[in-house]
Amino acid sequence: MSDTWGKWSVYEYMRQMYMRAGTIPEWQELRSVFPEMRWAEIREGIEEFERFLGIGGGQRAQ
């Protein structure tokens, strides 16, 4: 992975997997897809994706 990849790369990967397959990647998969990325940055991408889904906020886009 490039050094320029960050939380938005994780977010976009998760979004694409969700849209294509209807599944949400687990952290082990993210770790294997982004092996050079710091865990904190992966976690930020996960948090952005959760906001996209409305997880934790109790709201979804309609």
Side-chain angles (χ1 to χ4, degrees):
M1 294 287 144
S2 168
D3 288 338
T4 60
W5 292 38
K7 72 178 182 180
W8 295 111
S9 303
V10 174
Y11 164 82
E12 187 60 25
Y13 177 82
M14 293 182 75
R15 189 182 73 80
Q16 289 292 324
M17 293 299 293
Y18 182 73
M19 299 298 282
R20 290 181 183 159
T23 61
I24 298 173
E26 295 188 16
W27 69 269
Q28 297 94 331
E29 179 179 345
L30 296 171
R31 240 1 218 172
S32 69
V33 172
F34 302 99
E36 303 296 321
M37 192 178 293
R38 294 178 308 118
W39 171 247
E41 225 167 349
I42 292 174
R43 183 71 203 136
E44 288 177 13
I46 292 169
E47 289 170 0
E48 290 295 337
F49 180 73
E50 289 174 344
R51 281 190 209 107
F52 165 74
L53 289 181
I55 295 173
Q59 298 180 0
R60 290 184 183 257
Q62 296 184 16

